[in-house]
Amino acid sequence: MLVNIMQLIRGAVATAVLVLNTALWGTLIFLMGLVKLLLPLALVSHALHGFYKCWCRGNYFALKLSGVQFSTEIAPQINAQGWYLLVANHISWLDIIVLTAIEALPAPKFFLKDELKYVPLIGSGAWALGMPFMKRASKAQIAKNPKLKGMDVARTQKSCKSFKHHPTTVINFAEGTRFTEHKQQRQNSPFKHLLKPKAGGTAFALQVLIEQLDGLINATLIYHGSNKNIFQSFMLGRLAVIDVKLEYVPLAKVPQGDYQLDKAYRVTFQQYLNAQWHSKDNLIDSLSTLQSSSNAIAKEVSQL
């Protein structure tokens, strides 16, 4: 009974810290974004990234307050002064908090739909921090107007120009949505713990950023000791372990090309990403089994 009460207190405090952390630094970023409109100076940009870094550190502090064991395995080639495209599985809204809390990663940023730039706070904050907004032309639109060919890449490359001034990790959740068993069944996913990856978004991000990247990061997130609602488990203080594995992949090992216009490349890249997802699925399975065995042993020991 006492253990449950302590878990609830930890979860409540950690959740409150997350909310206050986001409210504080989100407001400051928004206000500094207004200053950036009037004074687009390097000093203002550095202040914005300083605020963003403080938000990331606050996220780490909240995770530790919750009592969760935050375990990270990071490839030695990854450093905080680099530029990377990070491709990850997507399980919960907590994924964003977890990835931004890893200090070894350069400032984590996201590709956003062009429509989001008009959403208060979210759009303005993302713009202020130099996050790219994507506006892609469909194949049908290109067929009607060939002049659109390549414009989406050029437009997004332009929006990413600020990345050259600040080490950056662009995060891409290749599945496009959070994992649930219902979605898995509806997709008829061949993976035990994952949804099918969408190769188009990842290939587009790679094409846009290729000249600025030092490499690709294959990220695997695993949560232990939770019910199906991971964020709820965090709020209740019942999330036991978060495992994050960051594998470095040299660009030379990643297929590159024009996904939209090159059919052969589309097939090649889809096969590449599916192979990565099969490896990720096996890793999640093995780590989940290992964690379950450790929990069973710990329970037996506690009963002696």
Side-chain angles (χ1 to χ4, degrees):
M1 183 66 177
L2 182 59
V3 173
N4 291 336
I5 292 174
M6 291 303 297
Q7 286 179 336
L8 285 171
I9 292 173
R10 284 202 306 263
V13 171
T15 302
V17 169
L18 271 185
V19 172
L20 292 173
N21 180 57
T22 300
L24 171 63
W25 297 111
T27 300
L28 289 173
I29 288 171
F30 171 70
L31 294 174
M32 189 59 71
L34 296 179
V35 174
K36 184 179 177 181
L37 278 173
L38 301 172
L39 299 170
L41 304 174
L43 181 63
V44 176
S45 181
H46 283 298
L48 279 163
H49 282 80
F51 291 163
Y52 184 61
K53 192 170 184 179
C54 288
W55 177 71
C56 294
R57 287 176 176 170
N59 290 340
Y60 175 79
F61 181 61
L63 288 176
K64 299 303 289 184
L65 276 179
S66 73
V68 68
Q69 180 184 332
F70 189 21
S71 174
T72 57
E73 184 177 315
I74 303 171
Q77 299 94 329
I78 299 171
N79 69 81
Q81 299 304 312
W83 281 259
Y84 306 101
L85 173 64
L86 183 149
V87 182
N89 58 311
H90 197 9
I91 309 171
S92 163
W93 289 113
L94 200 60
D95 297 346
I96 294 172
I97 301 299
V98 169
L99 290 172
T100 56
I102 300 174
E103 194 168 359
L105 286 176
K109 296 183 180 179
F110 304 85
F111 275 109
L112 302 170
K113 292 181 180 179
D114 191 66
E115 297 81 7
L116 290 176
K117 68 171 60 172
Y118 305 108
V119 178
L121 290 181
I122 295 175
S124 56
W127 169 82
L129 288 166
M131 296 189 190
F133 293 91
M134 291 191 299
K135 187 175 182 180
R136 299 177 62 186
S138 67
K139 286 188 284 187
Q141 289 173 321
I142 292 174
K144 290 181 180 179
N145 184 3
K147 291 182 180 180
L148 294 175
K149 180 180 178 181
M151 284 184 63
D152 50 356
V153 174
R155 184 167 45 226
T156 310
Q157 283 175 331
K158 185 178 179 180
S159 71
C160 293
K161 62 182 181 180
S162 66
F163 289 177
K164 296 179 181 179
H165 308 297
H166 302 278
T168 300
T169 304
V170 177
I171 295 175
N172 177 48
F173 294 113
E175 293 154 312
T177 184
R178 287 169 291 128
F179 175 91
T180 67
E181 291 182 358
H182 175 69
K183 293 174 184 176
Q184 183 188 38
Q185 292 168 3
R186 189 175 61 196
Q187 281 190 353
N188 193 25
S189 173
F191 308 106
K192 184 176 179 180
H193 304 281
L194 302 166
L195 300 178
K196 295 178 181 178
K198 297 180 179 180
T202 305
F204 178 77
L206 184 66
Q207 183 180 359
V208 166
L209 297 168
I210 191 66
E211 294 182 0
Q212 296 176 223
L213 295 178
D214 294 322
L216 183 143
I217 298 175
N218 181 16
T220 303
L221 291 86
I222 313 161
Y223 297 89
H224 306 285
S226 68
N227 58 28
K228 293 181 181 179
N229 191 323
I230 290 168
F231 199 84
Q232 183 184 74
S233 295
F234 171 81
M235 293 174 65
L236 296 173
R238 296 175 182 170
L239 190 59
V241 180
I242 302 174
D243 265 329
V244 183
K245 308 294 181 184
L246 301 181
E247 174 195 2
Y248 173 79
V249 183
L251 291 178
K253 293 186 177 181
V254 183
Q256 298 168 31
D258 191 327
Y259 189 88
Q260 192 173 41
L261 302 176
D262 188 339
K263 185 176 181 180
Y265 174 69
R266 283 203 299 272
V267 173
T268 299
F269 194 81
Q270 286 166 0
Q271 290 174 340
Y272 169 80
L273 197 58
N274 281 328
Q276 298 300 310
W277 242 240
H278 278 292
S279 298
K280 192 185 295 290
D281 202 42
N282 291 334
L283 175 61
I284 294 173
D285 201 43
S286 62
L287 289 175
S288 297
T289 301
L290 181 62
Q291 186 65 36
S292 297
S293 299
S294 298
N295 291 342
I297 293 171
K299 186 176 180 179
E300 289 180 6
V301 170
S302 65
Q303 292 174 347
L304 293 178

